[in-house]
Structures are given as C-alpha cells and as structure tokens.
Amino acid sequence: MDQDDALTQWLAAFRDAVSAGKFVKLALAKPTAAAGDLKAVDVRPILVKEALKLSFTYHYRTRDVVKNYGLEESAALISELLNGKINSGRLYTLAADISLARREAGFKLSRAPASQKRLPELSHNRAKQRFIESAGRTYLNRLGVTDAQGKVHKNSQDKFRQINKYVEVLDGLIKQSDSGKKLRIVDMGAGKGYLTFALYDHLANSLKLDVDVVGVEQREDLVALCNDIARAEDFKNLRFVQGSIAKHDCAGADIVIALHACDTATDDAINKAIRAKASLIVVAPCCHKQIRREMEGGSGTHSLDVLMRHGTYVDRMAEMVTDGLRAELLELQGYKTKLFEFVSDAHTPKNVMIVASRQASDRRPEDVEKLRESIAATKAQFGIVTHHLERLLDRS
Ligand SMILES: C[S@@+](CC[C@H](N)C(=O)[O-])C[C@H]1O[C@@H](n2cnc3c(N)ncnc32)[C@H](O)[C@@H]1O
C-alpha cells in the first residue's frame, strides 16, 4: 500500500464510522516543525442545533481553540493537517482503533481491537467552551489551580469558575469598547494573580490584543512569585509591582480592576481610577467594615430595626449600602454603573461586581443635584457621616 492509499483508507474509515454512527473520537498528535505552537488536535462528535458536527479542539502551547465542522470539511482539514503539521493520527470507532503513522517511506496503517465500547454523549452542553480552558495553561498549574495534566484540582473548582466568569465579563466589556489602541490595564490587589494571568492570557494570546497589564500587590512574596511565573510563561507585557493601592499611580490606565481588595482598598482603587480618567472600572468588593462601623455607631433614621437587630442583616445591609453608595459616587463622577452578581453565591459570597464606564459627556446639573440628594439621604438614613470613597474624592 503506498502512503496515499494508507491516508485515503484511514479517512474513508473515518467517514464510514461517522456515517454509520460508530465514530467515538480521533486524535492527531506528533506535530512537525511546521506546526509551530500547535501540539495536538482532538476531534469528537457533537450535536449543534440537532445536527451532527465534528468538534475540533486545537491544543496550542498556551491555549485551546474549539471549532465545529461538517463531515466533508472535517475530512479535508484532517487530511491537510496530516500532510504538513501532524505526523500521526488514531481513529477510535466502535469496531476498531485504527492508527496512521508517518514513516520514512510514507504513512503506515495499523488496526487494533476497539478500545472504546461506548459512543460519547453528543450533547453540546458538554462541549461548552470556556474562555480559559484548563488544559495547556501551564500558568494555572504553576499557580496551583490545575495538576500537570491540566485537570482542575477539586478545591480549585470555584476559583476556576470565577476565573472564567470574570474573563467572560471583561471580554464583553473590552470588545464593546475596543479602540484598536494599546490597552493599559491595572489590577489593584492582584494577590496570587489567578485572574490577572487569565485575563492577560485571554487578551494577549487568544484575542491577540496589544495589552499592557500591571498587577499591584502589597505582599512582596506574591509579587515575586507572579513575576517569576510571568517570565517563565514568556508573558512579556504582564508584570507585578509591590506597593499599596492608595499610592499606585494609575496615570494612563484605560481599565482599572480591583477584585476582592479588602474593605476600603476598593475605594482607594476606585479613587485612583477616577483620577486617571480610566474608561472602565471593574471592582468586586469584599469586607464592608468601614460603613458597618458607621452604621453601628451612627444615629440613622431608618425604620429597619426589625432587621438591624440582627448582626447578619447589619452585615448584609452594610454591604449593600457601601456598594450602592460607591455606584452613586461613580455616577457623580461621570460614570455609568452596573451592579450585578457575576457568579452564583453558591461559589463565593463575594460575588457582586460593579462595572463603571466613563461617559463622554458631562452630567446635567439637575442630575448631579439629584445624585447628591440621593447620596445625602442614604447616608442620613443609615447614620453614615462619610463614605471612605467620598473622603478620597473630596481631597484635591
Ligand atoms: C482577597 S485577595 C484577592 C486577590 C485577587 N484580586 C483575586 O481576586 O483573586 C486581596 C489581595 O489584595 C491585597 N491588598 C489588600 N489591600 C491592599 C492594598 N491597600 N494595597 C495593595 N494590595 C492590597 C492583599 O494583600 C491580597 O493579596
């Protein structure tokens, strides 16, 4: 059998298995030098709007890309890959496992008894594409989110879900406002950098955007760890700096992010972002101690004693009042705000996100007046003298 025969037969077996409903999966491996970043390709059947498709997962060095095709297009793509970028393939059907390997003299075909006894589930849900796939993301392994094979550790499932949700939210916001210019992003209180790395990976590697991402963190050990990982991953425009949020100069930043920066550190980040005229501010606050203290110590005029007798409800109220006022103060500064739960509270109780987009035109004086009145009324109702963000913004 010459090499073309072997490839033709193998592709015919693939087509037949798909048509007969006996196709389980197909794996392409052993990339050639021409493959560049591409390491392997997996193909499996899925249902899209009730139609059978073949889902290709292209495994690149730092990311996975999923694409779906019809049968003939799939056969042509597989043939093309085997004629340049890939040296071997294995077809799994219910009848046999059929391998194809490139040798000096050409392709060689070999058959083995079927190792797969069942067809895969065809539901498209199973193939739900995540913004950040765990496989091939070595930084997630270095950060302790996945094992060396890219499997998410059991105790990191919530973190991984948050990472994806957060990247999904930012992806939408950034695509809405992409100007094609270099995007400067500052992540305040970056911590161990899970979200910073994932965002950078998505923007720079998957979307190929020109970005510069800086993580600001007070803990030196975390800054050193994250910079080591950024270097090892060759993430050239991602760096971490040690310092306090309140002192970090954000000048030139387009987007300022603060996720779970404790208590008033969120206000410090918002203040810095407003002063830098950042076009987008994204915060997921946590700990609302400043306002809770003011509410407890103040003489509010609210009629909520039935709730405020209970510490748990005071906590919840403090959270809502703190973030509600943050949104109003941002509106006062010319931002349009949205406040929403970005992941289910089953995964984290710190699940509220405030997104503020800077508006091109100034607010009308009567609207400014209304906002001021609403802020003053809320403060009076809950016995709040000053919100920390207000104090920061009042400073010249
Ligand atoms: C709860 S962690 C969140 C980390 C990361 N943003 C995330 O969501 O996974 C908060 C981080 O903010 C840092 N941090 C808190 N206040 C800060 C401040 N004022 N300046 C700099 N870093 C701060 C803490 O050291 C910590 O690493």
Side-chain angles (χ1 to χ4, degrees), residues 154-186:
K154 234 182 185 163
N155 59 2
S156 298
Q157 295 285 350
D158 282 342
K159 185 60 97 195
F160 186 59
R161 194 170 281 111
Q162 269 187 63
I163 290 173
N164 261 289
K165 200 63 209 180
Y166 159 75
V167 172
E168 182 182 336
V169 170
L170 274 150
D171 174 86
L173 293 167
I174 288 169
K175 279 180 182 159
Q176 269 170 31
S177 62
D178 183 23
S179 64
K181 284 192 302 189
K182 187 178 204 102
L183 205 52
R184 295 182 191 280
I185 302 176
V186 180

Side-chain angles (χ1 to χ4, degrees), residues 17 21 24 40 45 69-70 80 83 87 90 101 127 172 225 323 348 350 386-387 390:
V24 180
Y69 303 105
E80 194 180 314
N83 275 311
N87 275 330
R90 195 170 174 92
L225 173 84
D323 292 339
T348 171
K350 303 169 189 170
T386 322
H387 190 297
E390 220 180 357

Side-chain angles (χ1 to χ4, degrees), residues 159 162 187-196 216-219 222 241-247 257-266 268 284 286 350:
K159 185 60 97 195
Q162 269 187 63
D187 184 6
M188 301 283 220
K192 206 172 168 186
Y194 306 107
L195 304 166
T196 334
V216 179
E217 169 55 49
Q218 64 192 1
R219 278 182 53 188
L222 295 181
V241 295
Q242 192 273 326
S244 111
I245 294 173
K247 293 200 177 131
I257 296 163
L259 299 172
H260 306 143
C262 322
D263 197 18
T264 53
T266 297
D268 293 332
C286 85
K350 303 169 189 170

